[in-house]
């Protein structure tokens, strides 16, 4: 039984990565047997992983059309941005109120790592941006908030990969992270919340503009 759970987690991780990096594109059909063979495992853990991913709205399971990767659109972006604007802002506020020395060490290390990257290293900047937001959530010391934000990440990651080649804010976000870390270290909750809100809003506004332009081009 333990082996099944381990294989299910592995199957989940592999499929999640394929979906969120667009290796499995939105709307693409999925076949349990083919996935199992490619992962060199049985179909049971793959089936369980797909159920898990369906619960997270990354996979659609229907009687008529079978299993396929869930689509993404501007409506998804709107709902995700509403959630992340509120929750990320709350996370920054709580971090400023509750941050501990070990949290500051992590935030500073991630900030320095970001500063060392060039604007052309978009994927690395993106991955570090996510780690930075995770570190802020951890500094908030509310595990339910951190878990909720991490669950939303899988949905958001696909949108980000769709528009990644066009984004201009990832490198500039490093400067905002510097200001955010300073506000958190000072315990300035209002400032930390405002910086995070502006940071997330600026990003989603740019993503929305790119997605809407793509939809116009395709129509």
């Amino acid at each position: 039984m333990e082996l099944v759970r381990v294989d299910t987690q592995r199957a989940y991780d592999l499929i999640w990565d394929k979906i969120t990096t667009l290796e499995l594109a939105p709307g693409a059909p999925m076949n349990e047997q083919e996935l199992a063979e490619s992962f060199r495992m049985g179909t049971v853990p793959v089936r369980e992983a797909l159920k898990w991913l369906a619960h997270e709205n990354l996979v659609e399971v229907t009687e008529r059309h079978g299993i396929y990767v869930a689509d993404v659109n501007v409506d998804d972006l709107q709902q995700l941005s509403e959630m992340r604007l509120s929750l990320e802002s709350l996370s920054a506020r709580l971090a400023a109120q509750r941050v501990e020395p070990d949290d500051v060490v992590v935030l500073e290390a991630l900030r320095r790592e970001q500063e060392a990257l060039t604007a052309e290293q978009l994927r690395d900047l993106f991955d570090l941006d996510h780690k930075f937001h995770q570190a802020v959530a951890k500094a908030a010391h509310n595990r339910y908030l951190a878990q909720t934000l991490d669950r939303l990440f899988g949905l958001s990651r696909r949108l980000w990969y769709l528009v990644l080649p066009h984004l201009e804010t990832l490198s500039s976000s490093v400067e905002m992270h510097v200001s955010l870390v300073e506000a958190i270290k000072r315990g300035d909750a209002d400032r930390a919340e405002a910086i995070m809100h502006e940071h997330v809003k600026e990003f989603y506004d740019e993503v929305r503009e790119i997605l809407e332009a793509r939809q116009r081009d395709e129509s």
Side-chain angles (χ1 to χ4, degrees), residues 15-16 18-31 35 50 53 57-61 65-72 158:
I15 300 170
W16 182 89
K18 287 179 179 292
I19 291 173
T20 58
T21 60
L22 305 182
E23 185 177 339
L24 285 172
M30 307 178 76
N31 182 285
L35 288 169
L50 289 172
L53 290 159
N57 299 315
L58 288 170
V59 167
E60 293 284 347
V61 181
H65 300 292
I67 306 170
Y68 60 94
V69 180
D71 203 0
V72 293
R158 290 200 301 162

Side-chain angles (χ1 to χ4, degrees), residues 11 14 29 48 76 88 92 100 117 132 195 215:
L14 290 167
E48 292 302 313
D76 292 330
E88 294 277 13
E100 297 179 357
L117 295 176
F132 181 86
I195 292 171
Q215 288 188 352

Side-chain angles (χ1 to χ4, degrees), residues 87-96 136 180 184 189 192-193 196:
L87 295 180
E88 294 277 13
S89 300
L90 173 61
S91 177
R93 167 171 284 277
L94 293 178
V136 173
L180 180 57
I184 290 173
E193 180 179 17
M196 182 66 90

